[in-house]
Amino acid sequence: MPYVRTVLGLLSALAACGAVAFLGYCVYFDRKRRGDPAFKLRLREKRRAQQQKAEGRGAQLWDPAKNEKLQQLFLQEVQMGELWLSRGEHRKGVEHLSNALLVCGQPQELLKVFRHTLPPKVFEMLLCKIPLICQQLEADMNEQEYLEDDPD
């Protein structure tokens, strides 16, 4: 038994020495890296680029005029969908409700509301319509990108 204790003591001392050596290695190279003038320049440039990218993205996403138009379109599509459903025109109603899903900021929540408020048959029609609308949106976006890239 004394032999096992000696081996365990040596192993724990060796592990402690390894941990101290690793920490010393980390501290040494961190100081060397931080002291490098090129590192500081690269870090500043990287932070500026990230900040500019975030500002550009924020300006695109949170344009109040665009959000108001999207909200108006959303409400209009929901109202038209309800109108067509009340008249018994399920396909036209589902078309408008799927358009509302497309411009909605939280489509999962809207689907939950539709699940509880729409008749099961209409809700199933809406679920079948979602992949088609996604494909149509992708095609429209690709066409728009093509037209923006076109020099004519």
Side-chain angles (χ1 to χ4, degrees):
M1 289 296 177
Y3 177 73
V4 173
R5 283 188 179 175
T6 306
V7 170
L8 287 177
L10 286 173
L11 285 176
S12 64
L14 186 62
C17 288
V20 168
F22 178 74
L23 286 175
Y25 175 82
C26 290
V27 168
Y28 170 75
F29 279 105
D30 187 52
R31 284 187 182 219
K32 189 175 179 182
R33 177 183 59 98
R34 288 179 187 240
D36 182 20
F39 167 73
K40 290 180 182 180
L41 289 175
R42 286 191 309 264
L43 186 61
R44 283 188 196 120
E45 290 173 3
K46 184 178 177 182
R47 286 181 181 165
R48 282 186 196 135
Q50 286 177 345
Q51 186 178 11
Q52 289 174 351
K53 188 176 179 183
E55 288 173 356
R57 221 183 298 137
Q60 289 175 346
L61 291 178
W62 299 109
D63 182 17
K66 189 175 182 181
N67 277 345
E68 279 185 31
K69 289 179 183 177
L70 283 177
Q71 287 176 354
Q72 289 175 353
L73 178 63
F74 170 75
L75 290 174
Q76 179 184 354
E77 291 295 328
V78 170
Q79 290 172 351
M80 291 298 294
E82 290 174 350
L83 178 68
W84 285 113
L85 289 176
S86 68
R87 291 182 179 175
E89 295 284 336
H90 296 300
R91 289 190 183 173
K92 289 182 181 180
V94 167
E95 181 75 28
H96 287 285
L97 292 177
S98 59
N99 290 339
L101 268 173
L102 193 61
V103 296
C104 181
Q106 298 175 340
Q108 296 293 338
E109 297 298 319
L110 186 59
L111 275 176
K112 288 179 186 177
V113 171
F114 284 160
R115 179 182 298 143
H116 296 294
T117 57
L118 295 176
K121 177 184 172 188
V122 175
F123 185 71
E124 289 298 321
M125 289 172 65
L126 181 64
L127 288 180
C128 292
K129 186 82 172 158
I130 291 173
L132 299 173
I133 289 185
C134 291
Q135 290 173 353
Q136 180 184 0
L137 176 66
E138 286 179 21
D140 290 345
M141 290 177 70
N142 288 337
E143 182 179 332
Q144 184 178 9
E145 287 176 7
Y146 176 75
L147 291 175
E148 288 175 356
D149 292 341
D150 192 19
D152 292 335

